[in-house]
Amino acid sequence: MHQTTPEMQQCIENCQECHKVCLHKAMQHCLEMGGRHVEANHMRLMLNCAEICQTSLNFMLSGSPQHKLTCGVCAEVCEACAQSCEAVGDMDECVAACRKCAESCRAMASM
Amino acid sequence: MHQTTPEMQQCIENCQECHKVCLHKAMQHCLEMGGRHVEANHMRLMLNCAEICQTSLNFMLSGSPQHKLTCGVCAEVCEACAQSCEAVGDMDECVAACRKCAESCRAMASM
Amino acid sequence: MHQTTPEMQQCIENCQECHKVCLHKAMQHCLEMGGRHVEANHMRLMLNCAEICQTSLNFMLSGSPQHKLTCGVCAEVCEACAQSCEAVGDMDECVAACRKCAESCRAMASM
Amino acid sequence: MHQTTPEMQQCIENCQECHKVCLHKAMQHCLEMGGRHVEANHMRLMLNCAEICQTSLNFMLSGSPQHKLTCGVCAEVCEACAQSCEAVGDMDECVAACRKCAESCRAMASM
């Protein structure tokens, strides 16, 4: 892709992966497990995280200068989601995807 | 809005309303209530319904000829969501919004 | 809707309206007019604005505490879009919807 | 991911890729090039294609049985977008991503 730095390219991939993992786990793993996995704040964070990753991804793909703002929000929601997944337990793939995405989004936001 | 028939205008409003009610009820009412309200198939339908309403809305707003296809899918998902809400109970506002949206989407799909 | 203040209720409606107007105008008015209406930065702002309104709307509907962050970004994108629409001209409905949405999003962000 | 066949796994990846390529090319290549690249029907198809890929992806990730319906629509929009890209020319990456996505979505729709 043209006009896209390697750092943004990596952030785009991290947002895609985090969106995929959070949405899939929320809708299949958490809803099937029930119990603490469907606790309101946890499910909310999982689904919010998937959505803001999608939005940040779309802002970066469209070449928007405001991608810094969406990436800043994305980093905060990903970090909160990672913490919620750690507290729930049994969500290692999600924790890893959220942390990786948060780190690259933070870097995009501060450039 | 130009180039938009009164029927499509109404369908756009019904999709906006159904998206709003389903997402709000899923994320606040169902997640807070727990029990049968967070049963996997029900939550999935509520969230899928909100998403396909958003997509059909966006296709209509963009003047896409393929809005007939998205409206056709939207009608089916709304109908399934209405039935799930009836089975769960205590979801009258959702049932009404889904049925109204399904009806106008079916009409758009068959034009 | 329960747990939603009148201010948030209004902000939800303003985001819905701004999303609708921006997407419709971008995809129908601007693309049909061509010329300065399809200048890259203008079209990008119109479509980014529609998307962040949708995301902020969804965060508010889901009862997410991070709606303050998405509303903060939404206010900035709406303001930039309003300015771009004023510069292009012939986009009064869009300017009004963006300004109204920006104002209520700014209020949500600062609560 | 659990409960996901290799065919669906591949379709999920094809939708991700097609969404990424169409949105990026529409918002950066087409808008920068102008001329026939921003012709209304072409831009509309590019953006509609990105959106329905996103929706089909989300239905598959959520384990929705209605993914067959969204994939059916996705296949039609991708095919139309591929044809529009061929007519415009200079859009080979998009044509390839759309054709690959259309093929796997058609397969998902007919299962």
Side-chain angles (χ1 to χ4, degrees):
Chain A
M1 294 189 282
H2 78 124
Q3 296 182 316
T4 310
T5 62
E7 288 77 14
M8 190 184 283
Q9 193 64 263
Q10 185 61 52
C11 191
I12 286 170
E13 282 172 38
N14 294 347
C15 283
Q16 277 192 308
E17 183 66 15
C18 190
H19 166 264
K20 184 168 80 170
V21 173
C22 285
L23 186 57
H24 182 258
K25 290 294 181 190
M27 299 298 281
Q28 300 208 36
H29 183 68
C30 294
L31 286 179
E32 299 295 347
M33 294 290 285
R36 69 185 191 279
H37 285 86
V38 292
E39 188 270 324
N41 288 335
H42 177 63
M43 276 297 285
R44 204 140 42 206
L45 268 171
M46 295 284 286
L47 295 169
N48 288 165
C49 188
E51 176 146 17
I52 193 67
C53 284
Q54 186 176 276
T55 303
S56 285
L57 172 65
N58 288 344
F59 269 60
M60 286 188 280
L61 290 172
S62 70
S64 164
Q66 284 94 358
H67 77 269
K68 292 185 182 198
L69 302 176
T70 55
C71 283
V73 179
C74 196
E76 290 210 34
V77 179
C78 284
E79 183 55 40
C81 187
Q83 287 176 19
S84 181
C85 287
E86 283 178 328
V88 166
D90 185 22
M91 304 282 295
D92 293 348
E93 193 183 349
C94 232
V95 173
C98 288
R99 286 268 154 74
K100 193 174 176 184
C101 189
E103 190 182 3
S104 61
C105 279
R106 249 188 313 265
M108 295 307 299
S110 66
M111 267 177 193
Chain B
M1 294 190 283
H2 77 125
Q3 295 183 317
T4 308
T5 62
E7 288 78 13
M8 190 184 284
Q9 194 64 263
Q10 186 60 54
C11 191
I12 285 170
E13 282 172 37
N14 294 347
C15 284
Q16 277 193 307
E17 183 65 15
C18 189
H19 166 264
K20 185 169 79 170
V21 172
C22 284
L23 187 57
H24 183 258
K25 290 294 181 191
M27 299 297 282
Q28 300 207 37
H29 183 68
C30 293
L31 286 180
E32 300 295 348
M33 294 291 284
R36 67 186 193 278
H37 284 86
V38 291
E39 189 269 324
N41 289 335
H42 177 62
M43 277 295 287
R44 204 142 39 208
L45 268 170
M46 294 285 286
L47 295 169
N48 290 163
C49 187
E51 176 146 18
I52 193 70
C53 284
Q54 185 175 276
T55 303
S56 285
L57 171 65
N58 289 344
F59 269 61
M60 285 187 281
L61 289 172
S62 70
S64 164
Q66 283 94 1
H67 77 269
K68 292 187 182 198
L69 302 176
T70 55
C71 282
V73 178
C74 196
E76 293 210 33
V77 178
C78 283
E79 183 54 41
C81 188
Q83 288 175 20
S84 181
C85 288
E86 284 178 328
V88 167
D90 185 23
M91 305 282 296
D92 293 350
E93 193 183 350
C94 229
V95 173
C98 287
R99 285 269 152 73
K100 193 173 177 185
C101 188
E103 191 181 2
S104 61
C105 279
R106 249 189 312 265
M108 295 308 299
S110 67
M111 266 178 193
Chain C
M1 293 190 284
H2 77 125
Q3 295 183 315
T4 309
T5 62
E7 289 77 15
M8 190 185 282
Q9 194 64 263
Q10 186 60 54
C11 191
I12 286 170
E13 281 171 38
N14 294 348
C15 283
Q16 277 192 308
E17 183 65 15
C18 190
H19 165 265
K20 185 168 81 170
V21 173
C22 285
L23 186 57
H24 183 258
K25 290 295 181 190
M27 300 298 282
Q28 301 209 35
H29 183 68
C30 293
L31 287 179
E32 300 295 348
M33 294 291 283
R36 67 186 191 281
H37 284 86
V38 291
E39 189 268 324
N41 288 336
H42 177 63
M43 276 295 286
R44 204 140 40 205
L45 268 170
M46 295 283 286
L47 294 169
N48 289 164
C49 188
E51 176 147 16
I52 193 68
C53 284
Q54 185 176 274
T55 302
S56 284
L57 171 65
N58 289 343
F59 269 61
M60 285 186 282
L61 289 172
S62 69
S64 165
Q66 284 94 358
H67 77 268
K68 293 186 181 197
L69 302 176
T70 56
C71 282
V73 179
C74 195
E76 292 210 34
V77 178
C78 284
E79 183 54 41
C81 188
Q83 289 177 20
S84 181
C85 288
E86 283 177 329
V88 166
D90 185 23
M91 304 282 296
D92 293 349
E93 193 183 349
C94 231
V95 173
C98 287
R99 285 270 153 72
K100 193 173 176 186
C101 189
E103 190 181 3
S104 62
C105 279
R106 247 187 315 266
M108 295 307 300
S110 67
M111 265 174 196
Chain D
M1 293 191 282
H2 78 125
Q3 295 183 317
T4 310
T5 63
E7 288 77 14
M8 189 183 285
Q9 193 65 263
Q10 185 60 53
C11 191
I12 285 170
E13 282 172 35
N14 294 346
C15 284
Q16 277 193 307
E17 183 66 16
C18 190
H19 165 264
K20 184 169 79 170
V21 172
C22 285
L23 186 57
H24 182 258
K25 290 294 180 190
M27 299 298 281
Q28 302 209 35
H29 183 68
C30 293
L31 286 179
E32 299 295 349
M33 295 290 284
R36 67 185 192 280
H37 284 86
V38 291
E39 189 269 323
N41 288 336
H42 177 63
M43 276 296 285
R44 204 140 42 206
L45 268 171
M46 295 283 287
L47 294 169
N48 289 163
C49 188
E51 177 148 14
I52 193 69
C53 284
Q54 186 176 276
T55 303
S56 285
L57 172 65
N58 288 345
F59 269 61
M60 286 187 281
L61 289 173
S62 70
S64 164
Q66 283 95 357
H67 77 268
K68 292 187 182 197
L69 302 176
T70 56
C71 282
V73 179
C74 196
E76 291 210 34
V77 178
C78 282
E79 184 54 41
C81 188
Q83 288 176 19
S84 181
C85 287
E86 283 177 329
V88 166
D90 185 24
M91 304 283 295
D92 293 349
E93 193 183 348
C94 231
V95 173
C98 287
R99 285 269 153 73
K100 193 173 175 185
C101 189
E103 189 180 4
S104 61
C105 278
R106 249 188 313 266
M108 294 308 299
S110 67
M111 264 174 196

